[in-house]
Amino acid sequence: MHPFTYTRVSNTREALDAGRRGGRYIAGGTTLVDLMRETVEQPETLVDISGLPLHEVLVTKDGGLRIGALVSMSELAAHPAVRAAYPVVSQALELSASAQLRNMATIGGNIMQRTRCTYFRDVTADCNKREPGSGCAALHGFNRMHAILGTSDACVATHPSDVAVAFAALEATVHLLGPDGGRDLPFADFLLRPGTTPQREQALKQGELITTVEIPAHPRPLRSGYLKVRDRQSYEFALTSAAVALHIKGGVIREAKVAAGGVGTVPWKLPEVERHLVGRRPSDALWTAAAEKAAEGTRPLAHNRFKVALLRRTVERQLRIVGGMK
């Protein structure tokens, strides 16, 4: 680990001043500290923001949720309002990491976490995300865990977060505060596809701070859930996953929100699946037909072609589970 300075701030003004000077924000630290130990990241200054007043989960007037960036994963998963209104979020969190990590890691840090691509974390391997212009060893290496959606010739790494898939499905908004004031970003615009600049992973400006993640109100009743398919049942990243939320009224699907994880360079919204569901009555045939559209546009690699069929099956299974709830 390279030498660095550490400072702890007590208010947002101090945090923004330190961030503007190039400091890296840290709270739970579960990802950044790992990357520093592996010398993948070498920040000169760490700014501890854990004391900022961003620890609340609030129900909005219209029934949405505002989640403070420093709320821990375990706190959010256990929150009564989350479990009652958006079980897809609770389930995604509870299927993530380990209990110890969930107690430490924050929601802001979770959606900011960097890829678990082994080539990114091996400083001897070529990686455009770590060293722009060096190449992508995963393209012709062992790429079983890598992405089949949203890839480019520069990067094929998947985004590792589970709860980010739920946020993408529910069309959340990320609220930011920076030296120039506050601004809001749709979750779909917050995380960036690699394109030709894979080293730029979030649409953040220098010194900006995540303050809250807001889930908008959705029609009631809303059935939702998260399915994660992985090599083992705990402490493992997704091969594929599906976040599904359905508003079914009068026996007809009035609204559908679907996103996939483990397959995209960012959490992957599935609008074609959603469009195929809305206005139709739940049925086995509908779930199968809708799930077929989940794999449109996939670009599999040498070792992850199985993900194409697995993605369809994962989405279909979760549509059946959520759509069949009483």
Side-chain angles (χ1 to χ4, degrees), residues 9 18 28 35 39 241 250 257 301:
V9 296
L35 294 175
T39 68
S241 67
K257 304 297 179 185
L301 302 165

Side-chain angles (χ1 to χ4, degrees), residues 31-53:
T31 294
L32 181 55
V33 173
D34 280 348
L35 294 175
M36 291 170 65
R37 280 198 295 258
E38 295 167 356
T39 68
V40 174
E41 298 253 15
Q42 300 177 28
E44 293 184 1
T45 303
L46 293 183
V47 182
D48 186 342
I49 60 170
S50 59
L52 299 185

Side-chain angles (χ1 to χ4, degrees), residues 248-302:
I248 303 175
K249 188 175 182 180
V252 176
I253 300 170
R254 308 292 181 178
E255 187 170 309
K257 304 297 179 185
V258 186
V263 291
T265 53
V266 295
W268 203 259
K269 197 80 157 69
L270 296 169
E272 291 301 318
V273 174
E274 295 171 345
R275 281 192 281 270
H276 193 82
L277 293 167
V278 173
R280 292 182 166 90
R281 293 183 176 275
S283 69
D284 289 343
L286 178 64
W287 307 139
T288 301
E292 281 296 312
K293 299 184 177 297
E296 291 182 358
T298 54
R299 294 177 58 191
L301 302 165

Side-chain angles (χ1 to χ4, degrees), residues 79-140:
H79 196 283
V82 179
R83 299 187 78 84
Y86 300 103
V88 62
V89 173
S90 291
Q91 292 171 18
L93 289 164
E94 289 170 344
L95 290 169
S96 301
S98 65
Q100 295 92 333
L101 289 174
R102 293 194 297 270
N103 286 338
M104 285 292 296
T106 64
I107 295 303
N110 183 282
I111 62 175
M112 285 283 291
Q113 68 181 298
R114 307 195 71 184
T115 182
R116 262 53 183 186
C117 171
T118 53
Y119 299 104
F120 168 71
R121 289 172 175 255
D122 178 358
V123 295
T124 68
D126 293 335
C127 176
N128 290 315
K129 191 179 285 291
R130 190 184 63 251
E131 186 179 346
S134 64
C136 175
L139 280 172
H140 304 291

Side-chain angles (χ1 to χ4, degrees), residues 138-153:
L139 280 172
H140 304 291
F142 185 65
N143 42 44
R144 179 176 180 269
M145 295 293 292
H146 287 72
I148 58 174
L149 287 163
T151 60
S152 72
D153 291 339

